[in-house]
């Protein structure tokens, strides 16, 4: 689960030989399954993402950890929170 389309494209390129074992979703981990607006002080994919400040905005679907766990079966998950 990754909200940035730019980052998804980079990951797909980097993992192109493993696409049969990896599934990516352009969604943001959120407190609800509703759309989320993520603000940034720079273009998408920057290190300065935040929820309430910045001039750039990324609007993406949100998903809760509960929804992820109930909709999927997997042996391991890596969560990188910024």
């Amino acid at each position: 689960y990754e909200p940035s389309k730019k980052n998804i494209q980079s990951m797909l390129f980097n993992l192109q030989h493993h696409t049969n074992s990896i599934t990516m979703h352009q969604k943001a981990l959120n407190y609800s399954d509703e759309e989320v607006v993520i603000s940034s002080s720079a273009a998408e994919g920057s290190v300065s993402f935040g929820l309430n400040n910045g001039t750039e905005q990324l609007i993406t679907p949100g998903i809760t950890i509960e929804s992820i766990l109930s909709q999927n079966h997997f042996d391991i998950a890596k969560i990188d929170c910024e």
Side-chain angles (χ1 to χ4, degrees), residues 7-24:
N7 289 347
I8 291 258
Q9 291 170 337
S10 294
M11 287 187 293
L12 285 171
F13 176 79
N14 291 334
L15 299 168
Q16 60 188 313
H17 301 293
H18 305 284
T19 55
N20 61 335
S21 60
I22 295 173
T23 304
M24 285 182 257

Side-chain angles (χ1 to χ4, degrees), residues 29-33 63-72:
L29 189 59
N30 195 23
Y31 62 89
S32 71
D33 288 336
I63 190 164
T64 64
I65 191 73
E66 292 85 3
S67 292
I68 292 171
L69 294 173
S70 69
Q71 296 171 14
N72 298 278

Side-chain angles (χ1 to χ4, degrees), residues 72-78:
N72 298 278
H73 171 76
F74 44 85
D75 297 322
I76 190 169
K78 179 188 178 296

